[in-house]
């Protein structure tokens, strides 16, 4: 039995624009699940459906065995951390964090104890009297987290919480979030468009495109075994070769070249994809998966040179070590190691 | 030259104010405290005269009531307007301001038609059999109050709506997610954050009502004088410019006292201690 289930959720704006179409998602208790995707893919909409700010036009949302589809926001008891933090500017840090507890009509002493504990955990004790306007981005972020966690929510929703922080702080904060998640064993849904952030923090990742989840998997599997062209592109694959299965591990390109692929797949037809780092510029001795190519544009990347080469299987992007430099127009041999090629489904 | 530029730029406005406001004010107020020697006699007489005091209290009463009622009517309306989408908001604000585009004499005449002995209200109530003979609604404090609210409510609405528009929807959503119903989110978040606008609105309505002339003149009649109509009567009908000056001074003082009270209130409500007026 899953802890959280989104079952065929549909969301339509203005009766015309469909944002989510039959979205399904299952989350286990205590998991941190990220919704990853480019802007406009429906990840924030999904989060807002779970939060209760959007009522889906179809489908249901079950949490811990209870149907939450029509429960009003203020009766859900979910913590939400907003991209803008949404701290109450007229209240100091203590009162911001105490806001939810006061509404629960707890005793004053109990509120005080809980708020002080949470401020302590989030490293905010010395800031209790400050107003949000007097704090830095990272501190505000921690207040937003503390405010959402102190009500002991069934679910914590985070909407791009780190996107307003600078790079260094972002890394600190995501470690912090992970720490708090482990400490309280709280189930979290995390929306982001930053794949590094998402991979480092999540137990599972749902890559979204066009209102649908393209792949729902562990970060390792998303990174190493993308299933669709969209997912592969999103995480940095940029070589795609149309292939058809011929037999076993042998695929054939449009120009009738044979390519060996180690990965097993049920797809009869798809795109063979490989990272620029994994393509080798080969010498005469290698013969497996080798193609002739002409060097096009060269770009210096620091650790390596990036070449755009025109191969018999189409244009490829190759990252090669800086030892040997090729000039545009040079004839080279490129090798696609068979264990690095992944067959993915073509995306619409 | 560079340092003097700001002062130079201040000149036109300052000259205008000094020539047309400060000097005339001194000319009006000086005789009230100087008759050969400095004296407070005129003011002592004013505050000892029951008739004068009645007018002062009536004026303050109407101004306070008008402000409070405008606030209670205006704040929810402003909230509603501020939560509409941009297109609808523009339309509603235009509708709010619409009465302000009409001359206040004409607007007061409208109320004479509504509240008069044979006006709409009395006719309706009599036809419905609720009352036997017409109520005296016109030329009372009540009719001044109604007219003033009608006149100044739009000011309250647009000022408060302006402040509320700047409150991010995220804050409301955050409050809701922490367990606040819409109403309690309004009371705990929107209201305190709108205090600056509400204070400014209160000041505009209060000073407006306190100094209004046309509305009390037309809807109050001669038996319900307020300070403004009283000044006019003193100066123009009785030629008593010193008496009118005393009333004017009292009016200025009353306005300043009320402004200070609002300020103190604002500082107390908002712990951040910012000043709004």
């Amino acid at each position: 039995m899953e802890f959280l289930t989104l079952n065929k959720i549909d969301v339509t704006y203005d009766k015309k624009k469909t944002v989510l179409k039959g979205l399904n998602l299952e989350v286990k208790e205590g998991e941190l699940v990220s919704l990853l995707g480019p802007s406009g893919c429906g990840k924030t909409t999904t989060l807002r459906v779970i939060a209760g700010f959007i009522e889906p036009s179809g489908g249901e949302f079950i949490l811990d065995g209870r149907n939450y589809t029509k429960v009003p926001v203020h009766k859900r008891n979910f913590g939400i951390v907003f991209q803008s933090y949404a701290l109450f500017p007229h209240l100091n840090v203590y009162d911001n964090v105490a806001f939810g507890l006061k509404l629960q009509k707890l005793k004053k002493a109990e509120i005080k104890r809980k708020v002080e504990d949470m401020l302590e955990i989030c490293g905010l004790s010395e800031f209790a009297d400050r107003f949000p306007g007097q704090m830095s981005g990272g501190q505000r972020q921690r207040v937003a987290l503390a405010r959402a966690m102190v009500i002991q929510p069934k679910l914590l929703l985070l909407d791009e919480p780190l996107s307003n922080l600078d790079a260094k702080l972002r890394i600190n904060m995501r470690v912090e979030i992970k720490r708090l998640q482990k400490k309280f064993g709280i189930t979290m849904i995390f929306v982001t468009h930053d794949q590094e952030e998402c991979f480092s923090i999540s137990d599972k990742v749902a890559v979204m495109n066009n209102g649908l989840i393209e792949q729902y998997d562990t970060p390792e599997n998303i990174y190493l075994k993308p299933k669709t062209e969209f997912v592969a592109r999103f995480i940095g694959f940029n070589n795609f070769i149309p292939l058809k299965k011929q037999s076993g591990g042998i695929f054939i390109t449009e120009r009738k070249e044979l390519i060996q692929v180690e990965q097993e797949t049920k797809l009869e037809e798809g795109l063979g994809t490989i990272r620029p780092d994994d393509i080798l510029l080969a010498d005469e001795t290698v013969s497996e998966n080798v193609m002739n190519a002409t060097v096009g544009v060269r770009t210096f990347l620091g650790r390596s040179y990036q070449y755009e080469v025109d191969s018999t299987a189409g244009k490829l992007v190759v990252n090669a070590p800086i030892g040997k430099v090729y000039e545009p127009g040079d004839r080279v041999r490129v090798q696609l190691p068979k264990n690095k090629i992944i067959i993915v489904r073509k995306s619409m | 030259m560079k340092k003097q530029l700001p002062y130079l730029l201040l000149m036109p406005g300052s000259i205008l104010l000094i020539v047309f406001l400060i000097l005339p004010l001194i000319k009006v107020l000086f005789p009230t405290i100087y008759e050969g020697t400095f004296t407070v006699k005129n003011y002592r007489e004013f505050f000892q005269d029951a008739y004068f005091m009645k007018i002062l209290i009536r004026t303050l009463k109407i101004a306070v009531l008008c402000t409070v009622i405008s606030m209670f009517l205006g704040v929810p309306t402003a909230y509603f307007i501020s939560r509409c989408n941009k297109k609808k908001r523009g339309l509603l604000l235009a509708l709010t301001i619409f009465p302000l585009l009409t001359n206040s004499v004409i607007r007061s005449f409208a109320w004479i038609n509504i509240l008069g002995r044979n006006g709409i209200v009395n006719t309706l109530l009599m036809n419905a059999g609720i009352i036997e003979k017409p109520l005296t609604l016109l030329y009372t404090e009540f009719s001044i109050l109604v007219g003033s609210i009608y006149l100044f409510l739009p000011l309250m609405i647009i000022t408060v709506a302006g402040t509320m528009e700047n409150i991010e929807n995220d804050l409301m959503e955050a409050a809701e997610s922490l367990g606040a119903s819409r109403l309690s989110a309004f009371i705990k978040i929107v209201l305190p954050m709108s205090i600056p606008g509400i204070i400014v609105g209160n000041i505009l309505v209060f000073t407006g009502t306190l100094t209004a002339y046309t509305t009390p003149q037309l809807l109050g009649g001669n038996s319900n004088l307020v300070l403004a109509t009283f000044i006019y009567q003193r100066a123009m009908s009785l030629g008593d410019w010193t008496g009118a000056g005393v009333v004017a001074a009292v009016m200025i003082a009353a306005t300043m006292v009320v402004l200070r009270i609002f300020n103190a209130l604002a500082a107390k409500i908002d712990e951040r201690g910012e000043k709004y007026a």
Side-chain angles (χ1 to χ4, degrees), chain A residues 192-207:
Chain A
T192 180
H193 63 264
D194 182 319
Q195 44 161 311
E196 188 196 324
E197 180 178 303
C198 152
F199 287 160
S200 68
I201 203 174
S202 317
D203 296 314
K204 269 179 150 185
V205 178
V207 183

Side-chain angles (χ1 to χ4, degrees), chain A residues 3-53:
Chain A
F3 181 63
L4 179 155
T5 309
L6 288 180
N7 191 9
K8 294 191 184 120
I9 295 287
D10 290 317
V11 172
T12 313
Y13 279 139
D14 298 334
K15 304 205 165 134
K16 271 177 275 171
K17 207 174 154 261
T18 307
V19 189
L20 299 180
K21 18 192 165 181
L23 184 119
N24 293 309
L25 182 70
E26 292 185 333
V27 179
K28 291 194 176 65
E29 187 154 20
E31 266 186 337
L32 198 165
V33 168
S34 286
L35 306 177
L36 177 69
S39 53
C41 71
K43 55 190 192 299
T44 296
T45 306
T46 309
L47 194 82
R48 292 176 65 79
V49 167
I50 297 173
F53 296 129

Side-chain angles (χ1 to χ4, degrees), chain A residues 48 53 73-74 78 80 82 84 86-90 92 95 99-100 103 131 147-148 151, chain B residues 170-182 184-185 188-189 192-193 270-272:
Chain A
R48 292 176 65 79
F53 296 129
V73 180
H74 68 275
F78 298 166
I80 304 177
F82 293 81
S84 63
L87 299 180
F88 307 129
H90 61 294
N92 64 21
D95 288 327
F99 191 88
L103 286 164
F131 286 94
R147 185 180 68 179
I151 58 170
Chain B
D170 277 4
L171 295 181
M172 296 297 289
E173 292 185 344
E176 277 185 70
S177 77
L178 291 166
S181 64
R182 291 272 164 89
S184 85
K188 291 195 159 82
I189 306 298
M193 285 185 68
D270 194 323
E271 289 172 50
R272 287 172 301 175

